[in-house]
Amino acid sequence: TLFRSKLIQNNRSGSRLSPKGVVVHETATPGATAEREYQYFNSADRGASAHAFVDWEDVIQTIPYDEVAWHAGPTANSRYIGIELCRPSGHDPEKFGRVWNNAVSLFADLFREHGFGEVTVDNLLSHAEVSSRWRESDHTDPVGYFAEYGKTVNDFRDAVQNELNGGYDMEVFNNLATRLEALDRRVNQLENPMIYNYIDHNLPEWARPTIQKLSAKGYLKGNDQGELGLTDEMLKLFVINDRAGLYD
């Protein structure tokens, strides 16, 4: 993918932007490349603009990310960077996949560069969500475009977050971390087993009746100090035998 900066001369606000996040759009011009979109917005007054266009080959930045672009209505324009995703000509999953991947990479870069933090519905919005939230536009992109290829805006947010995580699925990572912690506890138990010397609050409740029975019958006497020296494995064995009636 070629990332290029080709700033347009027309359709510029000149107003400073301190972005709070990014809005994802689609161009709704099937077959038009990022270069074609650049030429269109650079050539004459269009009354609209975006910070960058993403196609299956290129990413072209057309407006500085710290300058307001006209992409989603006054409120969103004053708060968000606007990125347009190009449409292939006709249904083309291979090209769409490349557009998607290029966009994910760009959005992740923008999140890193601007310190937007974790991806949320407040810092990565679709044009449709902007329209619903502020009602300054009636556009619903890129919902239909994504749906054509079995994707949603939430899928896109997840993909950007995954890219920010270094390509790791955090749910899988967290599950693995939980299992490793459990394994570490198990190893620690094996290397440093808990020793139960007395029939007190430290002794597990499930084993207490059995140990009390064995002590009462004189089967468990402990050492000279009266320490029983019982491990968890010993407790389990005693309880199993007790339930089998071996101590009755």
Side-chain angles (χ1 to χ4, degrees), residues 10-235:
N10 289 302
N11 305 292
R12 295 280 296 273
S13 71
S15 300
R16 182 164 181 78
L17 173 68
S18 296
K20 304 296 187 290
V22 194
V23 177
V24 59
H25 302 260
E26 67 117 331
T27 60
T29 50
T33 63
E35 177 64 28
R36 284 272 303 278
E37 297 290 352
Y38 159 77
Q39 293 173 359
Y40 176 79
F41 285 97
N42 188 54
S43 62
D45 182 12
R46 308 298 183 185
S49 58
H51 289 93
F53 293 87
V54 181
D55 67 18
W56 39 95
E57 299 290 346
D58 292 340
V59 174
I60 298 180
Q61 180 185 356
T62 52
I63 290 179
Y65 293 125
D66 61 355
E67 179 181 320
V68 170
W70 303 320
H71 59 97
T75 302
N77 292 347
S78 67
R79 301 179 184 182
Y80 296 98
I81 293 168
I83 306 296
E84 293 274 359
L85 276 56
C86 297
R87 261 186 180 266
S89 180
H91 186 74
D92 192 329
E94 192 272 334
K95 280 188 176 179
F96 171 78
R98 287 155 63 187
V99 172
W100 177 276
N101 291 337
N102 290 344
V104 166
S105 295
L106 174 61
F107 273 66
D109 286 346
L110 291 173
F111 266 69
R112 293 188 191 99
E113 291 170 8
H114 295 274
F116 294 145
E118 183 177 346
V119 177
T120 71
V121 295
D122 293 317
N123 59 21
L124 200 170
L125 294 81
S126 66
H127 196 169
E129 289 167 330
V130 168
S131 297
S132 176
R133 187 173 298 191
W134 289 292
R135 302 189 181 282
E136 297 170 347
S137 169
D138 60 0
H139 290 211
T140 60
D141 56 296
V143 174
Y145 180 30
F146 284 0
E148 180 182 340
Y149 295 93
K151 297 288 190 179
T152 67
V153 176
N154 280 333
D155 290 336
F156 187 72
R157 277 189 278 260
D158 289 344
V160 174
Q161 184 62 60
N162 188 43
E163 182 74 11
L164 289 170
N165 294 338
Y168 295 105
D169 186 316
M170 285 307 293
E171 183 176 355
V172 172
F173 180 82
N174 289 334
N175 287 339
L176 178 60
T178 300
R179 293 171 64 185
L180 287 174
E181 288 173 2
L183 180 60
D184 182 65
R185 288 194 298 270
R186 180 58 177 161
V187 170
N188 185 63
Q189 289 173 355
L190 293 173
E191 293 179 344
N192 304 286
M194 178 67 178
I195 303 299
Y196 305 98
N197 285 316
Y198 308 103
I199 303 174
D200 57 15
H201 66 279
N202 290 317
L203 189 68
E205 289 187 11
W206 55 267
R208 201 169 298 164
T210 296
I211 302 306
Q212 287 172 335
K213 177 191 290 188
L214 294 176
S215 179
K217 288 179 177 289
Y219 298 158
L220 282 177
K221 295 183 179 180
N223 59 21
D224 292 341
Q225 287 76 41
E227 296 172 339
L228 299 175
L230 301 174
T231 65
D232 284 300
E233 295 303 319
M234 294 170 69
L235 292 181

